[in-house]
């Protein structure tokens, strides 16, 4: 069927809606875009973010303006700067004429580490997410860091004549905070509370060191999450947290898993 | 270092813990196991589930008994039967000596559909999750169904002389319910509120039908989630729900997305 | 623009093509369907397959008949039986009027294993693919099995006072064979040539056993692939093979990897 | 068991191997690292690469030196520069004392596009892989680009009174070339031979344009791959190619797929 059209192209999303149901989140999902972020030492890191952006839609509004979200990503420098995360969020909520909205950015982040004996430097990669929300003008920020580590099993060590099963594990810490918390700080907490941390380059003396260190620091997933909880409980910058540890067990084809969550404000 | 060992192998997890921190969830994750489930028509369907199982751990307990979770999966028939989902969950919490615990099973589920004009039958596959929790003896059940559909854009249809961009979309409905709700029923709600539903086999007359039907039923993601919310609001079996629609936009390399959530009990 | 239509619906794919370019593969991809397969012991296992199906298209043909592929999946019992794999393939090539074609089915497969000391039985899951081709009437079959195992590092063991880093590894064997080779047989070859195999349930005595066994059988990825190659070289049923080992290193955030391939026919 | 150790830490990989089997590929897999690449216009783009690096291992050598691969990644600027891809590869083969080796880098790549009517600029992201091999001193380079596009079905358009089903599709072109071929050039070939290309930002006039353009350029997967083959056949820079098109069909829950491959040298 032909749709007759004149010089004006109708704006279908701008009509009123009759169902009278608000929508909690409407927007775009899984859009990739270059970004840059300042590190704890001061340097600038270039990386690639995957963005989800949404606003709340009141009952009377029929639809949102999807292209405006993409304009916000493309309207600044080619690379989105994380320093302006709150500003971007407020701009988004403003331009989409909403009272509430949120944005999540997930990106790889690299830290230079020195091997523990040889000192040889190499990068290690971590998965980071920043989540911001504006709820009736108030800004809330949550960050999440996934840190790959070594975990070694205390039971296996105790009961075996020699050796102890160990594996790569993922420790994920999610914190809600009004203050500045560096990615590097959360990474340190996770790495220091695993059996041992990971390195890109390990020379033979380093490999001996990490093998023995993991053996000396046997921990169940229960230990890893509790030890991190002890630290986050006393860190006043942190209002709420979730701590997860997942061991990709070397002796099974499934994972061992533990989670602790706490909201210090809500109790 | 040798670990001297006698005839007894120490039970490392059974000691007391000094950090005095409870763990909200500890258990196993991502274990695959065959299962069977009864369909609405009465037939039995065999499929493969991915299981996550956890219990709560009180502050004084050092660790859980990971192998007991796997014993529960392997202790019945080779195939886990969903009919006994609550029973399995209560057995798990009992055997792990916990007050609370939960289990999530994710599995593909098939429904036979007849093409709309030719009537040729074919299977369509859906992703389903069952989530059960026991909290201090009380059982709560949530089910989630991901339904792939066609969505066609009202704006594109209105403003174009001919054609309208359309795409595959995922509509996901999560409901908490004390009553029996068939997977088939949630699937119907999603399929009836998309622009059109999907079929495995479409002969030419069917392809004409679905093309024109989608064109007649243009819907934004906002419309899809609102129309489903209208229905779930009046379904008394449903205590709480989350409705999501994600369009894999054919004109962009990102998705349009909308979500509505409501808990009728908590308000 | 209206398309005038009469009672006949044009068959667009049946015209001749002017570019005169053959298409090596045309068909459908990533379609899920229930299936069943006989195991080595004789029992029938129900599982879910992901199917890719294609035929070759000669230069003069404009297009294939996509729905016929789906009809072949849906035209038999609800569950596709692997026993008829070659028959399904020949039916596909015939119904699509092609000289050549192929089909790939990927599915999870479960084997019951007894824990090494306690004898407690549990399932372990493996990823299997069957690939069949008909090339001008001749049938060729390739099977691929991904076996998760434990690998323990010889270097780490030699240089450390105690302990040795180990991890979950994936050993993948792909074999082309005119004879019957059981999935269970390829799995055994991989499991026997790792540092140790995996089990779903391990009681304490079993955990001690596997910890010490892995330590006694330290192997690099180079060793794993070479040891399997020695065996496959002498197995006359196997015309060609690819062997891969990937360690998800517990001390790094990357994998160690090795591959050997050999075609005994082509040399 | 204690391993006595002195000041020297044994080099376990340096012994001779008795199985006398060469290994085709040994190295590291799935390591992420920042990189930069020059674009066709001259600018430098920062992105994140996933690297696989391997060498061949002769029968007499027991093992390779895994850490040397990581040293090559970390031994230059923090960001690997693609301009030195062949140099990195030759360095790798040299430092690992091998006759043959290869490297694969997969990374997201962004191109600025102007919306077709409004001219509003926005980025679009593509998945690119570079694969280099040194075989006995000779260097071979292959590049692969995955381009997301719109495809619209000719059959659906012809048989329907109004509308035509369309969807997002992935067109992937892999070319082996001794000459310089810009990513932008391969992207253009794919985008110009789809029903329509994608854009990040589309204002209403642009959405009308792309909707009508796709409708005017209805193509099966068979057409997309043939049209691109016609072009690559006449491009003398290209020695060999593989062309794939995968439609994520909006009316089915599976994909339509086609592939053409040709090696102009081998015939």
């Amino acid at each position: 069927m032909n749709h007759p059209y004149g010089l004006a192209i109708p704006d279908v999303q701008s009509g009123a809606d009759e169902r009278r149901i608000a929508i909690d989140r409407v927007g775009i999902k899984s859009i990739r875009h270059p970004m840059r972020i300042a590190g704890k030492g001061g340097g600038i890191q270039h990386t690639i973010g995957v963005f989800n952006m949404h606003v709340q839609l009141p009952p009377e509004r029929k639809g949102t303006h999807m292209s405006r979200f993409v304009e916000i990503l493309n309207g600044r420098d080619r690379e989105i700067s994380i320093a302006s995360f709150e500003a971007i969020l407020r701009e988004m909520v403003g331009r989409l004429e909403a009272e509430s909205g949120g944005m999540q950015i997930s990106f790889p982040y690299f830290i230079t580490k020195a091997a523990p004996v040889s000192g040889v430097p190499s990068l290690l990669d971590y998965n980071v997410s920043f989540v911001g929300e504006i709820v009736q003008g108030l800004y809330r920020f949550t960050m999440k860091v996934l840190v790959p580590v070594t975990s070694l099993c205390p039971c296996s060590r105790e009961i075996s004549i020699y050796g102890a099963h160990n594996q790569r594990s993922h420790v994920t810490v999610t914190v809600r905070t009004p203050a500045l918390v560096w990615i590097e700080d959360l990474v340190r907490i996770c790495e220091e509370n695993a059996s041992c941390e990971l390195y890109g380059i390990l020379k033979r003396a380093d490999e001996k060191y990490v093998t023995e260190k993991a053996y000396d620091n046997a921990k169940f997933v229960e230990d890893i999450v509790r030890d991190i909880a002890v630290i986050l409980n006393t860190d006043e910058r942190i209002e709420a947290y979730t701590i997860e540890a997942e061991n990709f067990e070397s002796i099974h084809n499934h994972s061992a898993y533990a989670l602790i969550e706490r909201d210090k404000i809500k109790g």
Side-chain angles (χ1 to χ4, degrees), chain A residues 248-267:
Chain A
F248 303 99
E249 299 278 286
S250 59
I251 57 174
H252 297 296
N253 200 29
H254 60 264
S255 295
Y257 176 79
L259 174 154
I260 294 176
E261 53 189 355
R262 181 177 169 212
D263 189 323
K264 297 180 190 176
I265 311 286
K266 293 183 194 170

Side-chain angles (χ1 to χ4, degrees), chain A residues 104-126:
Chain A
Q104 175 181 304
I105 312 177
S106 299
F107 54 96
Y109 187 80
F110 293 83
I111 297 176
T112 303
K113 308 183 68 173
V117 176
S118 68
V120 172
S122 63
L123 290 181
L124 204 78
D125 58 306
Y126 306 87

Side-chain angles (χ1 to χ4, degrees), chain A residues 48-212:
Chain A
I48 307 292
V50 176
F51 292 73
N52 297 338
M53 305 167 76
H54 68 263
V55 292
Q56 199 243 15
L57 196 69
E60 59 276 8
R61 293 259 310 269
K62 186 164 170 59
T64 189
H65 307 278
M66 293 292 182
S67 64
R68 286 188 202 176
F69 291 100
V70 195
E71 284 169 350
I72 286 159
L73 281 188
N74 282 278
R76 294 149 172 268
D77 297 338
R78 193 173 178 282
E79 284 179 333
I80 299 286
S81 167
I82 289 296
S84 46
F85 189 64
E86 183 180 352
I88 299 171
L89 201 46
R90 293 194 177 278
E91 177 191 347
M92 180 189 83
V93 172
R95 286 187 59 181
L96 277 118
E97 302 158 29
E99 295 220 0
S100 305
M103 179 158 74
Q104 175 181 304
I105 312 177
S106 299
F107 54 96
Y109 187 80
F110 293 83
I111 297 176
T112 303
K113 308 183 68 173
V117 176
S118 68
V120 172
S122 63
L123 290 181
L124 204 78
D125 58 306
Y126 306 87
N127 289 345
V128 179
S129 292
F130 283 0
V131 178
E133 290 177 271
I134 304 272
V135 182
Q136 290 165 345
L138 291 178
Y139 173 68
R140 275 200 343 182
F141 176 73
T142 299
M143 63 191 284
K144 173 170 164 173
V145 184
L146 185 156
V147 183
V149 296
T150 308
S151 67
L152 184 140
C153 180
C155 178
S156 174
R157 183 185 72 174
E158 288 312 301
I159 66 180
S160 307
I161 308 174
Y162 39 73
H165 88 78
N166 50 86
Q167 52 274 315
R168 203 185 299 161
S169 299
H170 283 178
V171 179
T172 306
V173 168
T174 308
V175 299
R176 195 182 77 227
T177 170
L180 173 68
V181 175
W182 293 103
I183 294 169
E184 288 82 349
D185 292 351
L186 290 182
V187 166
R188 282 322 294 152
I189 292 172
C190 295
E191 291 186 329
E192 287 171 352
N193 287 283
S195 296
C196 190
E197 57 194 281
L198 305 186
Y199 299 87
I201 297 174
L202 291 166
K203 310 304 291 182
R204 267 190 290 281
D206 305 310
E207 190 168 351
K208 171 176 162 65
Y209 177 92
V210 299
T211 302
E212 295 166 2

Side-chain angles (χ1 to χ4, degrees), chain A residues 214-262:
Chain A
Y215 195 88
D216 290 335
N217 283 283
K219 290 194 163 193
F220 295 120
V221 280
E222 294 95 318
D223 298 312
I224 294 175
V225 295
R226 279 171 161 155
D227 287 344
I228 294 172
V230 167
I231 293 171
L232 298 186
N233 280 341
T234 63
D235 189 330
E236 290 178 357
R237 296 172 299 173
I238 291 163
E239 290 183 341
Y241 63 74
T242 305
I243 306 162
E244 303 167 84
E246 177 173 5
N247 282 3
F248 303 99
E249 299 278 286
S250 59
I251 57 174
H252 297 296
N253 200 29
H254 60 264
S255 295
Y257 176 79
L259 174 154
I260 294 176
E261 53 189 355
R262 181 177 169 212

